Amino acid sequence: TPEVPAARDLSNAAYMSTMDDRRLERAIRAGKPPGMPAFGNQFMEPSMQVLVKYVRELSEQPKAPAMVPRGGAKAPAATPTP
C-alpha cells in the first residue's frame, strides 16, 4: 500500500508564513487528498474568513495574559471639582 503523506503542521510559524490567506482558503475548499476532505462551498465567505483566521492563529505565539496587581486593579482616585 502507498504511504499516506503526513498532515502539515499548522502550528509551524515558518511554514504558515509561506501561505497567504487565499492559498489557505483554496486548500480548505479543494482539500488535500487523501487526508483532508474538500469543503467546497460549504462555507459562506464570512465563515471562510473566520476559519482562515483561526487556522492562521494556530501558528501565532500565545499572548501573555494581562497582569493584575494583587488585590485587583484599583480605580484612579477621583479628582475633586471646585
Side-chain angles (χ1 to χ4, degrees):
T1 61
E3 189 172 317
V4 176
R8 296 287 186 168
D9 180 0
L10 301 178
S11 67
N12 181 322
Y15 171 70
M16 291 302 291
S17 70
T18 68
M19 303 277 289
D20 64 16
D21 288 354
R22 290 184 56 86
R23 188 169 168 196
L24 285 173
E25 180 178 342
R26 282 194 308 269
I28 293 166
R29 290 197 188 280
K32 291 288 187 179
M36 181 180 156
F39 289 92
N41 291 323
Q42 293 182 37
F43 295 103
M44 302 288 287
E45 188 58 32
S47 297
M48 179 58 74
Q49 290 174 4
V50 170
L51 183 56
V52 167
K53 183 178 185 295
Y54 170 76
V55 170
R56 175 112 13 243
E57 288 174 351
L58 295 173
S59 66
E60 293 178 358
Q61 294 293 320
K63 294 173 179 57
M67 299 301 290
V68 177
R70 260 185 206 204
K74 299 196 186 246
T79 305
T81 55

